Amino acid sequence: MSSNYLRFLSRHSSVCPLYHLLTHPSEYEIAQLEEYEFTSGPLSILQTAVRSHTQVLVSCRNNRKLLARVKAFDRHCNMVLENVKEMWTEVPRKADGSKGRQINKDRFISKM
């Protein structure tokens, strides 16, 4: 819905009850929207991973990756993970200060 249309409706809210419906959805409408997003939106991939106990690869902002099984998640993409393998690369410095060869590192975390 365009912002100009919503601005128009807000100015004429006494005439147009549609504005109230669009800006103040009921709990039932919110629940329906969340169910739709979990079954057919991008969150459906996480929902499938939870149901089938498959592993997912999560790319983090610090350039680390998590390979894990998703136990639970919410609409904000907060996740409860198990059997987590965290992977990253480090570039050590040599004695003369130049960069050395990349080293792949990882660690195991049972529950996160």
Coordinates of all heavy atoms in Angstrom, one line a residue, residues 20 38-39 44 48 52 57 76 86 107:
H20 N -8.7 2.8 9.5 CA -8.6 2.1 10.8 C -8.3 0.6 10.6 O -7.5 0.0 11.3 CB -9.9 2.3 11.6 CG -9.8 1.7 13.0 ND1 -9.0 2.3 13.9 CD2 -10.3 0.6 13.5 CE1 -9.1 1.5 15.0 NE2 -9.9 0.5 14.8
F38 N 4.8 -17.7 7.6 CA 5.5 -18.9 8.0 C 5.3 -20.1 7.0 O 6.2 -20.9 6.9 CB 5.1 -19.4 9.4 CG 5.7 -18.6 10.5 CD1 4.9 -18.4 11.7 CD2 6.9 -18.1 10.4 CE1 5.5 -17.6 12.7 CE2 7.5 -17.3 11.5 CZ 6.8 -17.1 12.6
T39 N 4.2 -20.1 6.3 CA 4.0 -21.2 5.4 C 4.4 -20.9 3.9 O 4.7 -21.9 3.2 CB 2.5 -21.6 5.4 OG1 1.7 -20.5 5.1 CG2 2.1 -22.2 6.7
S44 N 9.3 -19.8 5.5 CA 8.9 -21.2 5.3 C 10.1 -22.1 5.2 O 10.0 -23.3 5.5 CB 8.1 -21.3 4.0 OG 8.9 -21.0 2.9
T48 N 10.4 -25.5 7.4 CA 10.7 -26.8 6.9 C 11.9 -27.4 7.6 O 11.9 -28.6 7.8 CB 10.9 -26.6 5.3 OG1 9.8 -26.0 4.7 CG2 11.2 -28.0 4.7
S52 N 11.7 -31.0 9.5 CA 12.4 -32.2 8.9 C 13.7 -32.4 9.6 O 14.5 -33.3 9.2 CB 12.6 -32.0 7.4 OG 13.4 -30.8 7.2
L57 N 22.6 -23.5 6.9 CA 23.9 -22.8 6.9 C 23.5 -21.3 7.1 O 22.8 -20.7 6.3 CB 24.7 -22.9 5.7 CG 26.0 -22.3 5.6 CD1 26.9 -22.9 6.7 CD2 26.6 -22.4 4.2
H76 N 11.3 -12.7 14.1 CA 12.4 -11.8 14.0 C 13.7 -12.5 13.6 O 14.8 -12.0 13.6 CB 12.6 -11.1 15.4 CG 11.4 -10.4 15.9 ND1 10.9 -9.3 15.3 CD2 10.6 -10.7 16.9 CE1 9.8 -8.9 16.0 NE2 9.6 -9.7 16.9
E86 N 30.5 -23.8 14.1 CA 30.9 -22.4 13.7 C 32.2 -22.5 12.9 O 33.1 -23.1 13.3 CB 31.0 -21.5 15.0 CG 31.4 -20.1 14.6 CD 31.6 -19.3 15.9 OE1 31.8 -19.8 17.0 OE2 31.5 -18.0 15.7
R107 N 34.6 -24.6 15.4 CA 34.4 -25.1 16.8 C 33.0 -25.6 16.8 O 32.1 -25.3 16.1 CB 34.6 -24.0 17.8 CG 33.6 -22.9 17.8 CD 33.8 -21.9 18.9 NE 32.9 -20.8 18.8 CZ 32.6 -20.0 19.8 NH1 33.2 -20.2 21.0 NH2 31.8 -19.0 19.7

